[in-house]
Amino acid sequence: DVNITVLENGDFRVEEVQQIVFTSGSFHFGYRNIPMDRLEDITDVEVLEGDRRYEPGRGGSYTYQTSVDDGDFQIKWYFPYTSNSSHTFILRYTVKGGLRYYEDGDQLYWKAVYADRDFPVYDSTVTVNLPDAATAGPLAAYDTDASVTGEGTDTVTFQAQERIAPGQ
């Protein structure tokens, strides 16, 4: 699930809640690549697992690192080796310069459920909260079947209607 809060200054705060079920093999890190072609910067990165806050670091358990590589902002986090288990990770960050401003209306374009993954997403809800006095205009979800509610309000919800395949 992804929660996006648009701030008064035009930045937006993203919270990704990733429940990952590890079913085959042993794993000790996760990553999120965010294309930077439609934004200026990403700041205020946080990584959590339950009540545990990951610390900036390089490769030790319960650490995370950020970098920019080949036009993508990458968040990579490390945890003790795990297999045949389920974990919920929360990524939080602020996107600067990610809104588009047009004469007929502004645009928030965000790939909340990213395609750069080898596993399906079985359930996803994306919620966008707009600043006071802002209302959502025409809404669209791309490349997946989703119900969309909230046009004319300050809270928009996208709910995937089916499993989202790897790479979609």
Side-chain angles (χ1 to χ4, degrees), residues 26-40:
S26 183
F27 302 89
H28 71 101
F29 71 89
Y31 70 93
R32 169 70 159 104
N33 288 341
I34 303 166
M36 294 192 63
D37 58 338
R38 297 178 71 94
L39 58 96
E40 293 171 9

Side-chain angles (χ1 to χ4, degrees), residues 73-138:
F73 185 92
Q74 184 178 72
I75 304 169
K76 190 171 184 178
W77 66 97
Y78 301 89
F79 43 86
Y81 277 92
T82 189
S83 60
N84 299 318
S85 62
S86 176
H87 296 264
T88 301
F89 302 102
I90 299 172
L91 307 179
R92 293 183 185 140
Y93 49 89
T94 300
V95 176
K96 297 184 177 291
L99 295 182
R100 297 290 176 254
Y101 300 99
Y102 301 105
E103 194 172 300
D104 293 333
D106 305 329
Q107 180 189 55
L108 169 66
Y109 176 92
W110 194 250
K111 294 182 181 182
V113 181
Y114 53 92
D116 180 23
R117 58 186 159 66
D118 298 324
F119 50 85
V121 172
Y122 289 102
D123 184 39
S124 179
T125 301
V126 176
T127 304
V128 179
N129 297 293
L130 301 174
D132 291 338
T135 57

